[in-house]
Amino acid sequence: MEEDKISQLPDDILLHILSFISIDEAVKTTILSKRWQHVFRSLSHLRFHRTRAAAVGRRVPLSKFVSELLSLRDPSASVHDFHFSFDGRFSCPFVAECVSYAVSHGVRSLRLHAPTHLTLRLPAAFFASTTLRELELRQSYKGIHMPGHFSFPNLKTLYLETQLYFDDYDPLQPWLRSDVEREPFSGLPELERLTLRGYPIPRLVIKAPKLRILEIFSYDDAVGEISAPLLTSFTCHCRHPWSDTKMNLPSLEEVDLNIYGDGPTTWWRDLSWMLRQLADATTVTLTLDTLRILEWDRDLRKRSPPFPNIKSLKVVRKSLHEHIYNWQAHFPARLQRRVMEYMTKGTSNLKSLKVEIPDNLDLVEYEPGWYT
């Protein structure tokens, strides 16, 4: 018989191999030989992903499979990744139990894509995890209850796509606490990347001493304040420009801005304010929708350029709903020439400035009757 060299490998290497396959397949390796019967018990990468369609026909419900697998694991084995995603129905206690298990075993990466019908309340120990490095929470339609302040001393990456309900939130009278500034990230001293998608937090304040990448998508409410001295990359895709947002971003290098809403002609004032807060950027990407807002400023030629040290300017036609409106990219578009002049004139790197615009974008002069 041919020699089984794979089974002779150390457990650490076998576990590394198993980390590249699904958890279901990893469990099935127990039938290979006695050598494999207990290897899966020390798996540190636990990723449970199941759609409702894939669950149809399973003899063992996913909740039972997860519970049994956790009970069979080596109690001394740590958990590096715990990713849980399922579109079926689960109880809140079951999800909380899974999170508690991961936290108690030193989880470093936790991704929770919860069912849409749940409003989760996670265990208190979760909000004080000292091992967590990466956290991703997604909860469509419903939300997650949070304390007013939580502490993850070693968290570096945070992705939130969920409505956050703080302890003082009253769903019957939400306006009672709408005037309170929220600073939920002050307990994250090592945070380097923050992504917020949808479900805005009223009067949000972001103060993060080590934050380097900030991404904000689909926020209807303006952020109150952003203070991040080491931030180098800022992405914001929202319906309207922010007004009166205070930003302290002295290390800013890259800006990606997409204002895609259809609002009043006075939006150019708010957008001008927003651009001035991002003035230190050297690499700027703006959508055509964003630039068109500036066309309503009659005195645009008299104003100083918003990015005095810009080195690269890219204009794109994509929008937040690119998959719906992508057909527009095949038709010519127009933009007033003075808008591009405003973005580039008088900059310190004018001779070496790199400007990239769509091939089918025509720069036109001021047209009488443009304003209504």
Side-chain angles (χ1 to χ4, degrees):
M1 296 179 62
E2 295 184 1
E3 185 178 3
D4 182 4
K5 295 183 178 180
I6 294 181
S7 297
Q8 297 176 11
L9 295 173
D11 283 359
D12 291 346
I13 297 180
L14 294 181
L15 289 170
H16 183 69
I17 294 174
L18 292 183
S19 69
F20 292 98
I21 63 178
S22 70
I23 192 72
D24 298 55
E25 293 171 330
V27 173
K28 291 178 181 178
T29 60
T30 58
I31 66 173
L32 295 177
S33 65
K34 292 183 179 180
R35 171 73 175 88
W36 288 87
Q37 286 182 358
H38 302 286
V39 174
F40 84 96
R41 299 176 187 269
S42 299
L43 271 174
S44 61
H45 302 272
L46 304 179
R47 307 184 184 103
F48 304 98
H49 303 285
R50 185 79 69 246
T51 63
R52 190 182 311 225
V56 174
R58 280 185 59 94
R59 295 182 179 179
V60 180
L62 181 60
S63 57
K64 184 176 181 181
F65 172 76
V66 173
S67 297
E68 291 182 352
L69 186 140
L70 297 182
S71 65
L72 292 173
R73 285 190 79 246
D74 181 355
S76 63
S78 63
V79 175
H80 188 282
D81 300 347
F82 191 92
H83 300 172
F84 185 86
S85 176
F86 188 76
D87 61 0
R89 302 189 66 85
F90 284 98
S91 66
C92 289
F94 173 76
V95 177
E97 181 183 348
C98 292
V99 173
S100 295
Y101 180 91
V103 171
S104 64
H105 287 74
V107 63
R108 296 170 61 90
S109 174
L110 177 63
R111 298 182 185 179
L112 181 61
H113 300 185
T116 59
H117 71 286
L118 294 178
T119 300
L120 295 177
R121 185 178 293 276
L122 299 177
F126 162 74
F127 296 102
S129 170
T130 59
T131 60
L132 206 56
R133 301 293 191 275
E134 177 190 23
L135 175 60
E136 181 175 313
L137 297 176
R138 299 190 186 192
Q139 170 66 307
S140 302
Y141 305 110
K142 295 292 185 178
I144 298 177
H145 284 275
M146 290 262 185
H149 177 85
F150 49 89
S151 175
F152 298 117
N154 295 301
L155 189 69
K156 293 183 178 294
T157 301
L158 176 59
Y159 181 103
L160 290 177
E161 187 176 349
T162 180
Q163 177 70 53
L164 299 183
Y165 297 122
F166 297 96
D167 288 344
D168 59 359
Y169 174 79
D170 185 350
L172 300 179
Q173 298 177 316
W175 61 85
L176 292 180
R177 307 300 297 179
S178 61
D179 60 336
V180 177
E181 287 190 347
R182 298 290 187 185
E183 194 178 338
F185 312 119
S186 59
L188 313 178
E190 299 296 323
L191 187 64
E192 296 180 358
R193 180 168 191 151
L194 173 62
T195 302
L196 304 174
R197 185 177 291 274
Y199 309 100
I201 303 172
R203 300 184 64 82
L204 174 65
V205 173
I206 300 175
K207 292 183 179 180
K210 294 188 178 181
L211 189 64
R212 297 182 181 275
I213 300 175
L214 176 60
E215 300 171 314
I216 300 178
F217 301 93
S218 305
Y219 257 50
D220 293 332
D221 295 341
V223 174
E225 181 181 353
I226 302 175
S227 180
L230 298 183
L231 191 77
T232 59
S233 178
F234 176 69
T235 299
C236 181
H237 294 194
C238 54
R239 295 183 182 277
H240 56 78
W242 297 345
S243 61
D244 301 328
T245 299
K246 299 177 182 179
M247 301 188 196
N248 176 28
L249 310 174
S251 302
L252 190 62
E253 297 176 0
E254 300 178 3
V255 167
D256 183 343
L257 192 59
N258 177 21
I259 309 298
Y260 55 86
D262 185 12
T265 59
T266 56
W267 268 8
W268 67 265
R269 295 188 180 91
D270 295 337
L271 179 57
S272 296
W273 166 272
M274 192 173 183
L275 294 180
R276 286 196 298 270
Q277 302 299 303
L278 305 171
D280 292 321
T282 57
T283 301
V284 180
T285 300
L286 301 172
T287 60
L288 190 57
D289 290 340
T290 305
L291 289 173
R292 280 175 171 159
I293 296 174
L294 297 173
E295 292 182 325
W296 296 103
D297 183 1
R298 295 175 182 269
D299 299 322
L300 194 61
R301 281 196 172 99
K302 300 178 183 178
R303 306 189 190 282
S304 301
F307 301 103
N309 300 312
I310 191 172
K311 296 180 181 179
S312 173
L313 173 63
K314 183 178 181 180
V315 180
V316 295
R317 295 191 61 176
K318 69 177 182 179
S319 69
L320 184 71
H321 307 289
E322 183 180 8
H323 63 287
I324 298 176
Y325 299 114
N326 193 42
W327 60 271
Q328 295 179 352
H330 300 290
F331 295 89
R334 294 190 300 181
L335 178 69
Q336 289 186 21
R337 188 181 303 276
R338 66 196 185 101
V339 175
M340 293 300 296
E341 293 175 353
Y342 166 69
M343 297 299 301
T344 59
K345 182 178 63 176
T347 61
S348 60
N349 302 300
L350 184 59
K351 292 184 178 180
S352 59
L353 178 62
K354 180 181 178 182
V355 179
E356 183 179 347
I357 63 175
D359 294 334
N360 53 359
L361 176 62
D362 296 330
L363 299 180
V364 298
E365 301 299 332
Y366 170 77
E367 299 179 5
W370 184 274
Y371 302 98
T372 58

